[in-house]
Amino acid sequence: REVTVAEFGRFVAASGYEPRATQRGHSLAYDRRSGNFVRGSGIDWRSGYDGAPAAPGMPVIHVTARDAEAYAEWLSAETGTHYRLPSEAEFEYALRAGS
């Protein structure tokens, strides 16, 4: 399932991890006027698809695979349950609804 902005925020606060977009100070966001993705300053995991602040219950975006792996490692340590990202084959299978 999707990780929410609030859940990812707990990870960042507890671990001190700095996601890639935060390090860089920018990410890409959708510009409604042009219909294109544009680079925007200050856009990171706390932002929505359009660069505006994301609600706590929205899925977190603007994270890299490494950021997601770090979250899974942290969550595994916090809960005692093993979490990981799906493999490419598992992800494709899920996208095709198991077909």
Side-chain angles (χ1 to χ4, degrees), residues 5-35:
V5 171
E7 291 168 332
F8 197 80
R10 284 192 288 279
F11 154 64
V12 170
S15 67
Y17 182 83
E18 188 174 28
R20 182 72 170 146
T22 304
Q23 292 173 15
R24 289 179 144 179
H26 64 82
S27 189
L28 296 177
Y30 181 71
D31 178 53
R32 291 180 185 170
R33 287 177 287 183
S34 68

Side-chain angles (χ1 to χ4, degrees), residues 11 67-77 81-85:
F11 154 64
D67 297 337
E69 289 169 348
Y71 175 80
E73 290 171 17
W74 172 82
L75 186 61
S76 295
T81 301
H82 179 71
Y83 291 93
R84 64 176 178 82
L85 298 181

Side-chain angles (χ1 to χ4, degrees), residues 2-8 45 47-49 53-61:
E2 295 91 355
V3 174
T4 68
V5 171
E7 291 168 332
F8 197 80
W45 63 271
S47 306
Y49 74 97
M58 295 299 295
V60 69
I61 58 175

